[in-house]
PDB file of all heavy atoms in Angstrom:
ATOM      1  N   LEU A 195     -45.460 -96.865-124.903  1.00  0.00           N
ATOM      2  CA  LEU A 195     -45.151 -98.253-124.564  1.00  0.00           C
ATOM      3  C   LEU A 195     -45.817 -98.707-123.259  1.00  0.00           C
ATOM      4  O   LEU A 195     -46.427 -99.784-123.217  1.00  0.00           O
ATOM      5  CB  LEU A 195     -43.639 -98.456-124.502  1.00  0.00           C
ATOM      6  CG  LEU A 195     -42.946 -98.706-125.854  1.00  0.00           C
ATOM      7  CD1 LEU A 195     -41.436 -98.702-125.689  1.00  0.00           C
ATOM      8  CD2 LEU A 195     -43.414-100.009-126.477  1.00  0.00           C
ATOM      9  N   PRO A 196     -45.745 -97.931-122.168  1.00  0.00           N
ATOM     10  CA  PRO A 196     -46.445 -98.350-120.948  1.00  0.00           C
ATOM     11  C   PRO A 196     -47.957 -98.450-121.133  1.00  0.00           C
ATOM     12  O   PRO A 196     -48.599 -99.338-120.558  1.00  0.00           O
ATOM     13  CB  PRO A 196     -46.081 -97.257-119.931  1.00  0.00           C
ATOM     14  CG  PRO A 196     -44.804 -96.679-120.434  1.00  0.00           C
ATOM     15  CD  PRO A 196     -44.925 -96.727-121.923  1.00  0.00           C
ATOM     16  N   ASN A 197     -48.529 -97.551-121.939  1.00  0.00           N
ATOM     17  CA  ASN A 197     -49.968 -97.608-122.216  1.00  0.00           C
ATOM     18  C   ASN A 197     -50.337 -98.935-122.875  1.00  0.00           C
ATOM     19  O   ASN A 197     -51.334 -99.575-122.519  1.00  0.00           O
ATOM     20  CB  ASN A 197     -50.382 -96.466-123.150  1.00  0.00           C
ATOM     21  CG  ASN A 197     -50.210 -95.101-122.536  1.00  0.00           C
ATOM     22  OD1 ASN A 197     -49.682 -94.967-121.440  1.00  0.00           O
ATOM     23  ND2 ASN A 197     -50.639 -94.067-123.240  1.00  0.00           N
ATOM     24  N   LEU A 198     -49.524 -99.331-123.853  1.00  0.00           N
ATOM     25  CA  LEU A 198     -49.788-100.570-124.577  1.00  0.00           C
ATOM     26  C   LEU A 198     -49.614-101.784-123.661  1.00  0.00           C
ATOM     27  O   LEU A 198     -50.402-102.737-123.739  1.00  0.00           O
ATOM     28  CB  LEU A 198     -48.850-100.665-125.776  1.00  0.00           C
ATOM     29  CG  LEU A 198     -49.193-101.712-126.841  1.00  0.00           C
ATOM     30  CD1 LEU A 198     -50.591-101.487-127.397  1.00  0.00           C
ATOM     31  CD2 LEU A 198     -48.164-101.673-127.965  1.00  0.00           C
ATOM     32  N   LEU A 199     -48.616-101.754-122.800  1.00  0.00           N
ATOM     33  CA  LEU A 199     -48.407-102.846-121.850  1.00  0.00           C
ATOM     34  C   LEU A 199     -49.569-102.948-120.868  1.00  0.00           C
ATOM     35  O   LEU A 199     -50.013-104.052-120.528  1.00  0.00           O
ATOM     36  CB  LEU A 199     -47.090-102.639-121.096  1.00  0.00           C
ATOM     37  CG  LEU A 199     -45.812-102.829-121.920  1.00  0.00           C
ATOM     38  CD1 LEU A 199     -44.587-102.427-121.099  1.00  0.00           C
ATOM     39  CD2 LEU A 199     -45.683-104.264-122.401  1.00  0.00           C
ATOM     40  N   LEU A 200     -50.071-101.795-120.424  1.00  0.00           N
ATOM     41  CA  LEU A 200     -51.224-101.794-119.521  1.00  0.00           C
ATOM     42  C   LEU A 200     -52.448-102.375-120.213  1.00  0.00           C
ATOM     43  O   LEU A 200     -53.190-103.167-119.618  1.00  0.00           O
ATOM     44  CB  LEU A 200     -51.505-100.371-119.036  1.00  0.00           C
ATOM     45  CG  LEU A 200     -52.718-100.198-118.103  1.00  0.00           C
ATOM     46  CD1 LEU A 200     -52.558-101.041-116.849  1.00  0.00           C
ATOM     47  CD2 LEU A 200     -52.916 -98.729-117.762  1.00  0.00           C
ATOM     48  N   ALA A 201     -52.674-101.996-121.461  1.00  0.00           N
ATOM     49  CA  ALA A 201     -53.800-102.552-122.218  1.00  0.00           C
ATOM     50  C   ALA A 201     -53.676-104.060-122.340  1.00  0.00           C
ATOM     51  O   ALA A 201     -54.662-104.799-122.203  1.00  0.00           O
ATOM     52  CB  ALA A 201     -53.875-101.908-123.599  1.00  0.00           C
ATOM     53  N   GLU A 202     -52.455-104.529-122.580  1.00  0.00           N
ATOM     54  CA  GLU A 202     -52.226-105.965-122.713  1.00  0.00           C
ATOM     55  C   GLU A 202     -52.503-106.684-121.388  1.00  0.00           C
ATOM     56  O   GLU A 202     -53.070-107.786-121.378  1.00  0.00           O
ATOM     57  CB  GLU A 202     -50.787-106.219-123.160  1.00  0.00           C
ATOM     58  CG  GLU A 202     -50.582-107.511-123.913  1.00  0.00           C
ATOM     59  CD  GLU A 202     -51.377-107.577-125.203  1.00  0.00           C
ATOM     60  OE1 GLU A 202     -51.480-106.559-125.918  1.00  0.00           O
ATOM     61  OE2 GLU A 202     -51.918-108.668-125.492  1.00  0.00           O
ATOM     62  N   MET A 203     -52.127-106.065-120.292  1.00  0.00           N
ATOM     63  CA  MET A 203     -52.405-106.648-118.976  1.00  0.00           C
ATOM     64  C   MET A 203     -53.906-106.752-118.737  1.00  0.00           C
ATOM     65  O   MET A 203     -54.402-107.769-118.227  1.00  0.00           O
ATOM     66  CB  MET A 203     -51.754-105.805-117.874  1.00  0.00           C
ATOM     67  CG  MET A 203     -50.249-105.936-117.805  1.00  0.00           C
ATOM     68  SD  MET A 203     -49.523-104.760-116.617  1.00  0.00           S
ATOM     69  CE  MET A 203     -50.436-105.162-115.126  1.00  0.00           C
ATOM     70  N   ILE A 204     -54.639-105.710-119.101  1.00  0.00           N
ATOM     71  CA  ILE A 204     -56.097-105.717-118.932  1.00  0.00           C
ATOM     72  C   ILE A 204     -56.721-106.820-119.783  1.00  0.00           C
ATOM     73  O   ILE A 204     -57.611-107.550-119.332  1.00  0.00           O
ATOM     74  CB  ILE A 204     -56.683-104.341-119.303  1.00  0.00           C
ATOM     75  CG1 ILE A 204     -56.213-103.279-118.308  1.00  0.00           C
ATOM     76  CG2 ILE A 204     -58.212-104.396-119.340  1.00  0.00           C
ATOM     77  CD1 ILE A 204     -56.569-101.861-118.703  1.00  0.00           C
ATOM     78  N   ILE A 205     -56.231-106.949-121.010  1.00  0.00           N
ATOM     79  CA  ILE A 205     -56.757-107.982-121.914  1.00  0.00           C
ATOM     80  C   ILE A 205     -56.466-109.369-121.351  1.00  0.00           C
ATOM     81  O   ILE A 205     -57.345-110.233-121.315  1.00  0.00           O
ATOM     82  CB  ILE A 205     -56.151-107.823-123.319  1.00  0.00           C
ATOM     83  CG1 ILE A 205     -56.715-106.562-123.994  1.00  0.00           C
ATOM     84  CG2 ILE A 205     -56.442-109.052-124.178  1.00  0.00           C
ATOM     85  CD1 ILE A 205     -55.967-106.159-125.247  1.00  0.00           C
ATOM     86  N   ARG A 206     -55.231-109.594-120.901  1.00  0.00           N
ATOM     87  CA  ARG A 206     -54.856-110.912-120.371  1.00  0.00           C
ATOM     88  C   ARG A 206     -55.639-111.246-119.115  1.00  0.00           C
ATOM     89  O   ARG A 206     -56.049-112.398-118.917  1.00  0.00           O
ATOM     90  CB  ARG A 206     -53.345-110.957-120.081  1.00  0.00           C
ATOM     91  CG  ARG A 206     -52.470-110.813-121.307  1.00  0.00           C
ATOM     92  CD  ARG A 206     -52.764-111.885-122.331  1.00  0.00           C
ATOM     93  NE  ARG A 206     -52.166-111.565-123.627  1.00  0.00           N
ATOM     94  CZ  ARG A 206     -52.421-112.222-124.726  1.00  0.00           C
ATOM     95  NH1 ARG A 206     -53.275-113.238-124.722  1.00  0.00           N
ATOM     96  NH2 ARG A 206     -51.852-111.881-125.868  1.00  0.00           N
ATOM     97  N   THR A 207     -55.867-110.255-118.267  1.00  0.00           N
ATOM     98  CA  THR A 207     -56.665-110.481-117.061  1.00  0.00           C
ATOM     99  C   THR A 207     -58.092-110.847-117.429  1.00  0.00           C
ATOM    100  O   THR A 207     -58.696-111.749-116.842  1.00  0.00           O
ATOM    101  CB  THR A 207     -56.664-109.233-116.166  1.00  0.00           C
ATOM    102  OG1 THR A 207     -55.312-108.921-115.806  1.00  0.00           O
ATOM    103  CG2 THR A 207     -57.468-109.461-114.907  1.00  0.00           C
ATOM    104  N   GLY A 208     -58.638-110.154-118.441  1.00  0.00           N
ATOM    105  CA  GLY A 208     -59.999-110.456-118.886  1.00  0.00           C
ATOM    106  C   GLY A 208     -60.117-111.845-119.465  1.00  0.00           C
ATOM    107  O   GLY A 208     -61.082-112.561-119.204  1.00  0.00           O
ATOM    108  N   ILE A 209     -59.110-112.264-120.256  1.00  0.00           N
ATOM    109  CA  ILE A 209     -59.122-113.611-120.830  1.00  0.00           C
ATOM    110  C   ILE A 209     -59.039-114.657-119.722  1.00  0.00           C
ATOM    111  O   ILE A 209     -59.748-115.670-119.738  1.00  0.00           O
ATOM    112  CB  ILE A 209     -57.955-113.779-121.826  1.00  0.00           C
ATOM    113  CG1 ILE A 209     -58.179-112.910-123.060  1.00  0.00           C
ATOM    114  CG2 ILE A 209     -57.788-115.244-122.226  1.00  0.00           C
ATOM    115  CD1 ILE A 209     -57.002-112.880-124.008  1.00  0.00           C
ATOM    116  N   HIS A 210     -58.173-114.392-118.738  1.00  0.00           N
ATOM    117  CA  HIS A 210     -58.013-115.339-117.630  1.00  0.00           C
ATOM    118  C   HIS A 210     -59.319-115.494-116.860  1.00  0.00           C
ATOM    119  O   HIS A 210     -59.754-116.612-116.564  1.00  0.00           O
ATOM    120  CB  HIS A 210     -56.904-114.856-116.697  1.00  0.00           C
ATOM    121  CG  HIS A 210     -56.779-115.663-115.445  1.00  0.00           C
ATOM    122  ND1 HIS A 210     -56.266-116.942-115.434  1.00  0.00           N
ATOM    123  CD2 HIS A 210     -57.130-115.381-114.160  1.00  0.00           C
ATOM    124  CE1 HIS A 210     -56.283-117.414-114.197  1.00  0.00           C
ATOM    125  NE2 HIS A 210     -56.796-116.491-113.402  1.00  0.00           N
ATOM    126  N   ASN A 211     -59.958-114.365-116.568  1.00  0.00           N
ATOM    127  CA  ASN A 211     -61.218-114.426-115.819  1.00  0.00           C
ATOM    128  C   ASN A 211     -62.309-115.114-116.627  1.00  0.00           C
ATOM    129  O   ASN A 211     -63.130-115.859-116.090  1.00  0.00           O
ATOM    130  CB  ASN A 211     -61.662-113.006-115.430  1.00  0.00           C
ATOM    131  CG  ASN A 211     -60.757-112.389-114.392  1.00  0.00           C
ATOM    132  OD1 ASN A 211     -60.056-113.102-113.669  1.00  0.00           O
ATOM    133  ND2 ASN A 211     -60.743-111.069-114.303  1.00  0.00           N
ATOM    134  N   TYR A 212     -62.309-114.860-117.948  1.00  0.00           N
ATOM    135  CA  TYR A 212     -63.313-115.472-118.824  1.00  0.00           C
ATOM    136  C   TYR A 212     -63.129-116.997-118.861  1.00  0.00           C
ATOM    137  O   TYR A 212     -64.086-117.756-118.741  1.00  0.00           O
ATOM    138  CB  TYR A 212     -63.181-114.881-120.234  1.00  0.00           C
ATOM    139  CG  TYR A 212     -64.101-115.503-121.247  1.00  0.00           C
ATOM    140  CD1 TYR A 212     -65.457-115.237-121.251  1.00  0.00           C
ATOM    141  CD2 TYR A 212     -63.589-116.370-122.228  1.00  0.00           C
ATOM    142  CE1 TYR A 212     -66.301-115.803-122.199  1.00  0.00           C
ATOM    143  CE2 TYR A 212     -64.422-116.932-123.178  1.00  0.00           C
ATOM    144  CZ  TYR A 212     -65.769-116.643-123.153  1.00  0.00           C
ATOM    145  OH  TYR A 212     -66.585-117.207-124.091  1.00  0.00           O
ATOM    146  N   ASN A 213     -61.880-117.436-119.036  1.00  0.00           N
ATOM    147  CA  ASN A 213     -61.613-118.873-119.082  1.00  0.00           C
ATOM    148  C   ASN A 213     -61.914-119.549-117.744  1.00  0.00           C
ATOM    149  O   ASN A 213     -62.399-120.676-117.701  1.00  0.00           O
ATOM    150  CB  ASN A 213     -60.155-119.127-119.478  1.00  0.00           C
ATOM    151  CG  ASN A 213     -59.884-118.779-120.932  1.00  0.00           C
ATOM    152  OD1 ASN A 213     -60.810-118.784-121.739  1.00  0.00           O
ATOM    153  ND2 ASN A 213     -58.648-118.467-121.270  1.00  0.00           N
ATOM    154  N   ARG A 214     -61.627-118.840-116.657  1.00  0.00           N
ATOM    155  CA  ARG A 214     -61.901-119.401-115.343  1.00  0.00           C
ATOM    156  C   ARG A 214     -63.386-119.559-115.120  1.00  0.00           C
ATOM    157  O   ARG A 214     -63.857-120.571-114.591  1.00  0.00           O
ATOM    158  CB  ARG A 214     -61.294-118.495-114.252  1.00  0.00           C
ATOM    159  CG  ARG A 214     -61.349-119.079-112.857  1.00  0.00           C
ATOM    160  CD  ARG A 214     -60.561-118.246-111.902  1.00  0.00           C
ATOM    161  NE  ARG A 214     -61.054-116.882-111.856  1.00  0.00           N
ATOM    162  CZ  ARG A 214     -60.493-115.922-111.123  1.00  0.00           C
ATOM    163  NH1 ARG A 214     -59.390-116.179-110.425  1.00  0.00           N
ATOM    164  NH2 ARG A 214     -60.998-114.707-111.116  1.00  0.00           N
ATOM    165  N   SER A 215     -64.177-118.559-115.548  1.00  0.00           N
ATOM    166  CA  SER A 215     -65.634-118.657-115.393  1.00  0.00           C
ATOM    167  C   SER A 215     -66.211-119.752-116.282  1.00  0.00           C
ATOM    168  O   SER A 215     -67.140-120.458-115.896  1.00  0.00           O
ATOM    169  CB  SER A 215     -66.297-117.315-115.720  1.00  0.00           C
ATOM    170  OG  SER A 215     -66.128-116.978-117.080  1.00  0.00           O
ATOM    171  N   LYS A 216     -65.633-119.954-117.468  1.00  0.00           N
ATOM    172  CA  LYS A 216     -66.076-121.039-118.340  1.00  0.00           C
ATOM    173  C   LYS A 216     -65.781-122.402-117.711  1.00  0.00           C
ATOM    174  O   LYS A 216     -66.610-123.317-117.752  1.00  0.00           O
ATOM    175  CB  LYS A 216     -65.363-120.937-119.700  1.00  0.00           C
ATOM    176  CG  LYS A 216     -66.138-120.132-120.719  1.00  0.00           C
ATOM    177  CD  LYS A 216     -65.469-120.049-122.053  1.00  0.00           C
ATOM    178  CE  LYS A 216     -64.945-121.340-122.561  1.00  0.00           C
ATOM    179  NZ  LYS A 216     -64.373-121.196-123.932  1.00  0.00           N
ATOM    180  N   GLY A 217     -64.602-122.487-117.086  1.00  0.00           N
ATOM    181  CA  GLY A 217     -64.239-123.741-116.429  1.00  0.00           C
ATOM    182  C   GLY A 217     -65.160-124.068-115.272  1.00  0.00           C
ATOM    183  O   GLY A 217     -65.558-125.208-115.079  1.00  0.00           O
TER     184      GLY A 217
END
Side-chain angles (χ1 to χ4, degrees):
L195 277 172
N197 295 6
L198 194 57
L199 290 173
L200 178 59
E202 206 61 40
M203 287 173 55
I204 294 171
I205 290 168
R206 296 302 166 190
T207 301
I209 292 173
H210 173 72
N211 291 338
Y212 176 74
N213 290 336
R214 188 171 59 183
S215 65
K216 268 181 46 176

